[in-house]
Amino acid sequence: MLIEERILTLFKRNCQHTLTYWSLFWSFGLSIAFLGPTILDLKCQTGSTLKEITWVFFSQQLCLLIGSSTGGIFQKTLFSALTALFLSALIISVVFAIIPLCYNVLLLAVAMAVSGMAMGIIDTIANIQLVSVYQKDSAIFLQALHFFIGLGALVSPLIADPFISGYCPSSNSTENATEIIQHFRYSLTASFRSPVILENSPHSGLVEGKASVSYAFWIMALINLPVPFAVLVLMYREKMLPFCPNSTPRLLDKDELAMETHTPESTEMPDLCAEVSGHGDLFSCCMNENLRGLPVTFFGIHILGGLVLLMTEGIMGVFAGFVYTYAVSAPMSLQVKMAAYLNCVFWAAVTAGRLVSIPLSYRFKPVHLLIINLAGVIITLLLLLILYTNNVFLFVGTALVGLFLSSVFPLMLAYTEDILDYQGCATPVLVTFAGMGEMSMQVLVGSLIQTDGSFSFLVCSMALGCLAFILLLALILCHHIYKKLTGTSKKAAMVDNPPAPAPPTPEKAVTEQKIAVTQSEPTT
């Protein structure tokens, strides 16, 4: 069989929970990808500059980081976890509905901050629970989980594309020439669609763009509504609604029940890191007293793994947010509608990469796939820098970057959790670092594009890719040192406290008694 019967049995036992987490990540992807193609329309709607609108990214990613860091406090019991997931999914739909009403950049930033908090809670709880349930088999299910992020992120630009208007003239007299050209291009296109409107106002295209892009957000709000409904169904099944009997099983009990189907390898004597009390939120992990006495490499694995994700998720956030802006600016100067397809290409590649990574994770070690992915990112970005005026390769390169980046996060999660024997706090730490990467890099690159031009988009991405590869090599080295230290500690513990001999079986006792009697008889 392509997949072992044991894994299929494990999935069937946790089917509804797993499918619910996957649908929540589809909602996550839907809300993380729409800012890229609509950023210029939102810039027009709020009357802000590109530098100011990047703070909307920052507010979303900052609260996503806060939600990721604190989301673990909800996952101790099934009731609190599912309640948090239900409210988070519902908040995402509400935010989609009110975005068209935010005509001020501050209001838009607040709305995006609220959605970011909800996304962070979804991110942490879903990742932690899948890792807790599937443990050494979690790589496959994490790839599927993050496939649904890509699927949602692919749908989002496709919905927004028919309603995108492009650049609008700014009230500032120092408006740059590229913005004027792009607005003029849009005006020419709009004149064929609505000449009567253009006769009434020289900026009627702007009004039309505002009205039309609102429909995209309202459509996304509607198609996201089945997700909180799916969580509600799961809560009904677990009898946690007010009209159900008061029975709230602990989620950890379900996890322990599911883990009974694991192979003996997953029940081996825990490593040194087994002293750390399970998964939780970031703050409880940092304040755990059992961290004392662990080798420095234990902390190095967390930090280096997190830094790799800080760089790679930063590249993903930068591409999702600014590849459209880069494409419509000089030297590319693509048409607005053509450039909008770049976001679709990027997220389609991310989705396809995560789908392909599901069987690959079953056949190959995560560390080998990580090396290939990061090497592919560096080579692709180098070619994009060399062929920076080639419009065709911009689409090809964007697809390749999305393909190689697609599985880095779930692979890194599976790799570090496997090193730490699924007993540490790797998941909340890695999720937090990933959120920091998306938050900081989008603001940094957005500011550089505003001051130094659009080419800084590729230069920053290349620098981040190289740093990520160097940090991955350092993580591999740290893993080998940690493995030697923990192996030595285990051997020393075995010498100091040798295991007690197992009691003899009845058959063995009878045999030994016969041998003793035979040896005690005098020989004639």
Side-chain angles (χ1 to χ4, degrees), residues 13-212:
R13 181 170 291 190
N14 299 275
C15 177
Q16 188 170 359
H17 283 269
T18 305
L19 292 176
T20 303
Y21 298 146
W22 288 351
S23 69
L24 284 160
F25 260 52
W26 180 84
S27 176
F28 185 107
L30 191 70
S31 48
I32 204 171
F34 77 89
L35 272 178
T38 61
I39 184 172
L40 299 176
D41 288 272
L42 293 174
K43 173 176 168 287
C44 296
Q45 176 179 302
T46 56
S48 57
T49 65
L50 182 62
K51 188 174 183 179
E52 290 171 344
I53 203 71
T54 56
W55 287 100
V56 174
F57 286 104
F58 178 82
S59 66
Q60 184 190 48
Q61 295 299 329
L62 175 62
C63 288
L64 194 155
L65 173 63
I66 295 171
S68 300
S69 303
T70 59
I73 64 177
F74 298 107
Q75 60 90 31
K76 294 299 182 183
T77 64
L78 188 61
F79 176 76
S80 59
L82 290 183
T83 303
L85 291 175
F86 169 72
L87 293 175
S88 299
L90 190 61
I91 285 171
I92 288 174
S93 284
V94 173
V95 169
F96 275 133
I98 67 173
I99 282 176
L101 306 177
C102 299
Y103 291 101
N104 181 281
V105 71
L106 181 60
L107 291 176
L108 182 62
V110 171
M112 297 309 301
V114 173
S115 70
M117 181 72 76
M119 292 158 58
I121 292 171
I122 290 173
D123 193 9
T124 297
I125 293 177
N127 275 298
I128 286 178
Q129 293 308 326
L130 278 184
V131 169
S132 298
V133 171
Y134 295 108
Q135 296 217 351
K136 289 188 179 294
D137 300 310
S138 62
I140 302 171
F141 296 97
L142 284 171
Q143 290 290 356
L145 180 71
H146 289 265
F147 161 78
F148 280 93
I149 287 186
L151 188 61
L154 171 61
V155 170
S156 191
L158 289 175
I159 294 171
D161 178 65
F163 306 102
I164 292 173
S165 62
Y167 279 81
C168 62
S170 121
S171 57
N172 192 344
S173 59
T174 59
E175 175 184 50
N176 62 62
T178 304
E179 192 169 0
I180 297 173
I181 292 171
Q182 293 297 337
H183 174 66
F184 179 66
R185 182 183 298 162
Y186 168 72
S187 300
L188 288 177
T189 306
S191 64
F192 291 101
R193 294 181 309 196
S194 184
V196 176
I197 296 176
L198 284 175
E199 287 177 1
N200 297 330
S201 170
H203 302 303
S204 58
L206 173 59
V207 177
E208 180 190 359
K210 280 185 180 180
S212 62

Side-chain angles (χ1 to χ4, degrees), residues 487-499:
T488 304
S489 300
K490 281 184 179 181
K491 289 177 182 178
M494 292 290 287
V495 171
D496 295 337
N497 302 297

Side-chain angles (χ1 to χ4, degrees), residues 280-355:
D281 62 284
L282 182 63
F283 301 109
S284 64
C285 289
C286 295
M287 294 185 292
N288 198 314
E289 295 182 357
N290 292 327
L291 293 175
R292 297 175 183 175
L294 291 172
V296 176
T297 49
F298 174 85
F299 304 98
I301 289 167
H302 287 82
I303 294 171
L304 290 172
L307 288 175
V308 172
L309 288 182
L310 188 144
M311 303 300 168
T312 55
E313 293 298 301
I315 298 172
M316 182 171 284
V318 165
F319 259 81
F322 297 111
V323 69
Y324 172 82
T325 305
Y326 171 76
V328 298
S329 305
M332 285 294 176
S333 301
L334 291 180
Q335 294 181 358
V336 171
K337 294 293 182 183
M338 179 68 71
Y341 287 112
L342 278 168
N343 287 89
C344 297
V345 168
F346 178 74
W347 288 112
V350 171
T351 306
R354 285 170 177 168
L355 186 63

